Amino acid sequence: MTSKDRQIAARRRPFTEGALTTDQGIPVDDTDNSLRAGARGPTLLEDFHLREKLMRFDHERIPERVVHARGSGAHGYFQVYEPLDEYTTADFLTDPDARTPVFARFSTVQGSRGSTDTPRDVRGFAVKFYTRQGNFDLVGNNMPVFFIQDGIKFPDLVHALKPEPNNEMPQAASAHDTFWDFVTLQPETMHHVIWLMSDRALPRSYRMMQGFGVHTFRLVNGHGRSTFAKFHWTPALGTHSLVFDEAQLISGRDPDFNRRDLWEAIEAGEYPSWELGLQLIPEERAFDLEEVDVLDPTKLIPEELVPVTPVGRLTLDRNPDNFFAETEQVAFCVGNTVPGIDFSDDPLLQARLFSYLDTQLTRLGGPNFAQLPINRPLTPVRNHQQDGFHQDAVPTGRTNYHPSSLGGTLQVGPGFMSYPEHVDGPKERKRSETFADHYSQATLFWNSMSAWEQEHIIAAYRFELGKVTAMPIRVRAVEHLNRIDHDLAVAVAQGIGVEEPVKSVDNHGRSSPALSQARDGAAASPRTRRVAVLMADGADSRVVAHLRDSCTGAGTVVDLLGVTDAAVTTSDGVPMEVTHAITTTASVLYDAVVVPSAAADLSVEGAAVHFAAEAYKHGKPVGAFGSGLGVLQRAQIPLTTASSDPALIVEEEFTPDFPQTLLAALASHRNFDREVSGIPA
Ligand code: HDE
């Protein structure tokens, strides 16, 4: 057949159903070769497929979020336990049969979209509820307070926190001069800063962190009665953190650590869930809360003062189909609210009501972003909004205004009604005196920490301030710490070359036990925790299988790691596949490590010894039996402390109790007391 005949035959072929097309729907015969004048000749401008393909590629990026750029999302649902009509008319909070679809996005704050998941940072916890009355967005964080009291300071805060403008360093880190310069000049930040220095800034998993609406909101019931409310999310798996050394190592080993964790858990059917709780404060009580103005977002209301009432459950059960279309394009807005949920006069919240709607104009390229599938409410949208970039709908008819007598009039009301709060006051740029105390709650937080949590906080301040080059900033920071707690200030000063301060204020001595993560152990479970089993030739296949099955039976993930990727030859000669070679992974990607007995001596393998030593240093459960003990000895793990260390499980030979003890240790997360007894993380 000549080339002309081949052309004719090809032209006569019917188009293939489902074949690749251009954006205009034209089927394409070749997407691998551009149109050229001869096989070795120049490319022709006429090639519309090439031009379109490159044009689309050239414009794939949109501006990343100015804060919270790096995030991961998932779909799920929310269900309220009991009707909350006493407090609100919000449909999704009053009908226990309503299973409200949601999309949640978790994020870091400082870093760019491609930065690591595990910096020391606040985490965003934003949930879009697609309710039967329209979208309600709860755009919160994993810490219950915020740095500043007035939204007008937000650009200053974020400029100081982000990489410095002259050299765009450091990425995703608050440990630099401009951040500490700003916060030490703006003492209202001190409470949030101590949270940032705590392990709360290093969540083990998005599935294991709390969420908070931060501001006081207002619930309004059918009689028009308003109750102030604070929103709390409590994770079913308990609240757990990494240690800082580990978090930094993970940044190199797996920068997608939290993203992968969320994705894999959902893929495995281990659906993360959180209980929604409310702190409900009748308006009349709002002014007698000791030392707390409910409008001040740098303060929390201690749970001991106003308990958290559990009201419903959020479950995430579906990963996005497309990261960009859903996780990147989702547009949260604090102002997206439904009848029955209203705002308070918190000046930070008020500023946010502007900022979120505004930022999407640039980020999503115009005013029609609510039409994107992920942002669309489930309820019909009817209004006279017109035109603009990316208008997706085709409005019909002549009347695009209200009122009209030419037909097409839309009914208005009943609908969202703002709470008729009485306001009266002179126009002034002034903060309330009830916002003036910047230290008492930082002290409350410090007093509420366990010994190991306090150690971690001191180490974090030392690390962060140790990176600050301007000595006066370090000195100022110590002065502030001295007003929080003298011992804390002295411990930090000693680590950063600053003179120890003289005690100036007495610690008020109050604490709020609910703030400590050490208290959370009871809620913990080994489910979805990751166990590394370090394998060597000659391991007993039945013992390893028993160990693995007991652990997976309790919902943990077990990886068998070999010295290489090759299968291990077990004692009965049967090959046993390994998941990875030890050298392609790291202890920081696991929650526990076990070294079973084997004929081959694993203690001569540096990578295995390092693996066990590092896991031990990070407070993780470490177990071994038989010859596996040699690895722990070589790692200089003090085996004699096993009787007082529930996370150090060592046995001369494997017993059926071994997996149970390991699982119990995993459920308790870590043994951080190891560090207090002299081995710092
Ligand atoms: Fe945000 N914040 N914020 N913020 N924020 C944004 O909105 C802003 C604040 C929070 O996963 C931006 O769509 C101002 C507090 C989360 O998409 C922007 C102020 C809390 C997310 C913005 C605050 C938050 C954002 C950037 C002070 C916890 C990520 C991109 C007045 C209660 C949402 C965007 C997502 C994102 C402004 C303070 C949480 C610029 C002006 C307090 C979880 O609009």
Side-chain angles (χ1 to χ4, degrees):
M1 202 191 262
T2 66
S3 109
K4 191 165 177 203
D5 292 339
R6 269 200 300 276
Q7 273 249 358
I8 293 169
R11 280 176 192 281
R12 289 194 174 152
R13 263 190 350 232
F15 295 142
T16 321
E17 189 71 24
L20 190 110
T21 73
T22 68
D23 281 350
Q24 304 302 322
I26 303 158
V28 167
D29 70 325
D30 182 347
T31 194
D32 300 324
N33 298 290
S34 50
L35 190 65
R36 289 187 280 267
R40 299 185 62 253
T43 304
L44 299 178
L45 189 60
E46 176 189 322
D47 186 348
F48 60 86
H49 178 44
L50 167 74
R51 280 187 288 112
E52 183 193 76
K53 193 170 173 182
L54 289 182
M55 178 275 284
R56 289 303 306 268
F57 170 75
D58 292 345
H59 299 275
E60 275 177 6
R61 292 290 166 272
I62 61 169
E64 65 176 32
R65 289 168 174 82
V66 58
V67 282
H68 296 266
R70 179 163 181 85
S72 307
H75 296 269
Y77 59 92
F78 173 83
Q79 215 158 356
V80 73
Y81 298 148
E82 301 289 339
L84 294 175
D85 324 54
E86 190 187 338
Y87 303 104
T88 179
T89 54
D91 171 70
F92 78 105
L93 291 176
T94 53
D95 180 1
D97 293 330
R99 201 167 132 144
T100 304
V102 302
F103 185 77
R105 181 175 180 271
F106 307 106
S107 48
T108 58
V109 176
Q110 313 156 10
S112 304
R113 193 182 141 183
S115 59
T116 172
D117 273 351
T118 57
R120 174 174 295 288
D121 199 358
V122 181
R123 298 302 188 283
F125 192 130
V127 185
K128 190 181 282 294
F129 298 75
Y130 304 90
T131 86
R132 296 185 296 213
Q133 296 171 313
N135 289 351
F136 169 65
D137 293 357
L138 184 55
V139 197
N141 279 342
N142 75 329
M143 298 180 192
V145 290
F146 201 66
F147 294 101
I148 45 170
Q149 295 173 324
D150 188 324
I152 201 165
K153 295 304 299 165
F154 193 66
D156 297 303
L157 167 74
V158 175
H159 287 170
L161 174 64
K162 284 267 186 175
E164 300 188 7
N166 52 346
N167 55 19
E168 183 131 310
M169 291 193 281
Q171 178 57 238
S174 49
H176 59 110
D177 284 42
T178 58
F179 176 71
W180 286 94
D181 186 30
F182 175 80
V183 295
T184 53
L185 293 171
Q186 193 77 28
E188 74 206 54
T189 58
M190 285 301 134
H191 186 199
H192 197 175
V193 168
I194 196 168
W195 277 81
L196 183 65
M197 293 304 106
S198 79
D199 291 356
R200 297 287 183 141
L202 311 166
R204 156 67 182 83
S205 157
Y206 290 137
R207 303 175 294 123
M208 298 172 199
M209 67 182 196
Q210 282 183 288
F212 302 91
V214 175
H215 313 281
T216 299
F217 289 83
R218 198 189 271 286
L219 300 183
V220 186
N221 74 5
H223 303 289
R225 185 167 60 87
S226 137
T227 308
F228 285 131
K230 286 209 176 253
F231 292 94
H232 292 242
W233 292 114
T234 305
L237 291 172
T239 309
H240 301 290
S241 292
L242 302 168
V243 290
F244 191 41
D245 178 59
E246 180 190 21
Q248 288 181 300
L249 292 168
I250 292 173
S251 284
R253 295 288 189 170
D254 185 5
D256 304 310
F257 184 72
N258 288 142
R259 173 176 293 185
R260 192 183 309 286
D261 168 273
L262 180 66
W263 180 275
E264 288 182 351
I266 293 175
E267 289 299 294
E270 291 282 354
Y271 301 139
S273 89
W274 290 259
E275 184 162 72
L276 180 67
L278 294 176
Q279 277 182 303
L280 295 160
I281 309 127
E283 274 212 70
E284 320 75 78
R285 249 200 95 188
F287 292 101
D288 20 281
L289 292 173
E290 231 175 294
E291 292 168 11
V292 184
D293 187 329
V294 292
L295 302 185
D296 177 357
T298 66
K299 307 289 189 310
L300 52 85
I301 302 177
E303 287 184 31
E304 294 75 15
L305 214 58
V306 179
V308 179
T309 309
V311 300
R313 181 158 295 280
L314 165 74
T315 305
L316 299 180
D317 63 352
R318 181 162 65 87
N319 279 317
D321 289 317
N322 182 274
F323 185 90
F324 179 80
E326 299 173 272
T327 310
E328 196 58 16
Q329 293 204 117
V330 64
F332 292 97
C333 176
V334 187
N336 290 350
T337 196
V338 289
I341 306 180
D342 209 331
F343 314 111
S344 72
D345 295 333
D346 171 345
L348 191 71
L349 172 59
Q350 297 276 321
R352 291 180 77 199
L353 293 173
F354 164 72
S355 197
Y356 289 74
L357 202 58
D358 179 55
T359 200
Q360 315 303 352
L361 292 178
T362 318
R363 195 170 77 79
L364 298 171
N368 286 308
F369 54 84
Q371 295 180 6
L372 292 167
I374 193 69
N375 296 325
R376 249 182 247 156
L378 298 179
T379 46
V381 174
R382 301 182 208 93
N383 56 43
H384 301 301
Q385 254 76 281
Q386 282 288 298
D387 307 349
F389 283 114
H390 317 302
Q391 167 61 284
D392 208 26
V394 184
T396 52
R398 290 167 80 182
T399 47
N400 54 3
Y401 53 89
H402 180 92
S404 90
S405 64
L406 299 177
T409 303
L410 295 174
Q411 294 293 323
V412 177
F416 180 87
M417 267 169 69
S418 292
Y419 178 70
E421 179 194 3
H422 181 77
V423 286
D424 184 17
K427 248 191 229 175
E428 54 189 347
R429 293 187 185 272
K430 193 175 169 192
R431 294 224 186 152
S432 166
E433 277 163 21
T434 51
F435 281 32
D437 169 13
H438 304 319
Y439 300 98
S440 299
Q441 285 216 337
T443 308
L444 182 85
F445 183 72
W446 170 253
N447 291 347
S448 310
M449 297 292 102
S450 65
W452 58 262
E453 286 174 307
Q454 290 191 341
E455 291 290 328
H456 292 185
I457 290 172
I458 293 168
Y461 274 113
R462 285 179 168 191
F463 176 91
E464 295 261 320
L465 290 165
K467 295 267 188 184
V468 169
T469 60
M471 211 48 170
I473 299 178
R474 294 191 191 190
V475 173
R476 255 187 347 246
V478 170
E479 282 164 7
H480 287 299
L481 292 179
N482 201 33
R483 300 187 63 169
I484 296 171
D485 180 78
H486 178 66
D487 294 342
L488 166 64
V490 169
V492 173
Q494 284 169 349
I496 57 168
V498 167
E499 203 176 312
E500 288 180 23
V502 178
K503 188 169 182 172
S504 58
V505 191
D506 281 331
N507 182 315
H508 57 57
R510 289 190 299 277
S511 64
S512 168
L515 300 178
S516 168
Q517 291 189 91
R519 201 191 72 145
D520 197 58
S525 138
R527 286 207 85 79
T528 73
R529 295 307 188 115
R530 298 171 57 81
V531 181
V533 180
L534 306 191
M535 298 289 293
D537 283 338
D540 185 327
S541 61
R542 276 160 311 178
V543 165
V544 173
H546 180 84
L547 172 69
R548 186 184 53 200
D549 296 348
S550 311
C551 288
T552 51
T556 66
V557 177
V558 179
D559 281 355
L560 304 185
L561 306 182
V563 175
T564 68
D565 263 337
V568 164
T569 308
T570 55
S571 53
D572 47 12
V574 180
M576 202 165 201
E577 293 297 330
V578 297
T579 327
H580 301 289
I582 296 174
T583 45
T584 59
T585 179
S587 84
V588 291
L589 306 180
Y590 292 90
D591 294 293
V593 54
V594 177
V595 194
S597 201
D601 183 7
L602 206 54
S603 73
V604 297
E605 298 293 341
V609 173
H610 175 69
F611 201 103
E614 197 172 60
Y616 180 78
K617 179 181 162 194
H618 293 147
K620 293 175 185 176
V622 174
F625 49 88
S627 72
L629 293 172
V631 172
L632 272 48
Q633 272 155 352
R634 192 80 193 277
Q636 299 191 337
I637 294 173
L639 301 187
T640 50
T641 60
S643 55
S644 59
D645 182 344
L648 182 57
I649 308 132
V650 291
E651 291 179 359
E652 284 310 318
E653 59 186 44
F654 182 77
T655 68
D657 286 345
F658 186 93
Q660 298 318 317
T661 318
L662 177 73
L663 289 167
L666 267 172
S668 304
H669 185 52
R670 308 270 170 108
N671 177 12
F672 288 121
D673 290 330
R674 268 181 208 159
E675 302 160 48
V676 181
S677 60
I679 302 164

